[in-house]
Amino acid sequence: MKLPDLPEDLAALERELASRRRPAPSDALRQRILAAARRELAARPAPERRRLGAWEFALAAAAAFILLLNLSISAANDMNWRLCGGLDLAAVASAAEQIGKLAPELPPQEARREALILVAGSRLPMLPQVKTRPGEAPWTRPAAPTFQLPGAPGA
């Protein structure tokens, strides 16, 4: 240990004292220190546990709900939702025209709505088949959809 502000003879004495072998503390000292710490801790009053009031509970529940909502929205925003391609407007128009021919009592808006449902149903993502034959791929997709309704021309 180098102490620049001490004279050389005091620094030598300091080094000599620091290099001296020290006895290890006794087990009795350890027991006395632990007993004193226990007494100090026992003398402290126990912290009071109070119940939350109705408003505090409601605020805590609302905060937890908002946190979970935020986490779920964050997870949903991180997902890749491009399950299938864009909407084919020509197919929707063709299907709406066929529906209009088959059910003339439907207004054009309702025929278009039904056509959108048909197109959306035909573009569902591939789903795994639980039971497959050996050597068969677990992911299958049906053949390309056609929008020919029964009784339509060309059906």
Side-chain angles (χ1 to χ4, degrees), residues 3-4 14 31 35 39 55 61 65 72 79 104 128-130 136 143:
L3 301 173
E14 182 72 26
Q31 295 303 324
R39 278 193 309 272
W55 283 107
F65 174 76
S72 65
M79 297 288 292
Q129 290 182 346
V130 177
E136 187 177 83

Side-chain angles (χ1 to χ4, degrees), residues 16 19 28 30 44 68 79 84 139 143 145:
E16 194 177 314
S19 65
R30 180 178 190 273
R44 286 186 189 172
L68 290 175
M79 297 288 292
C84 57
W139 294 91

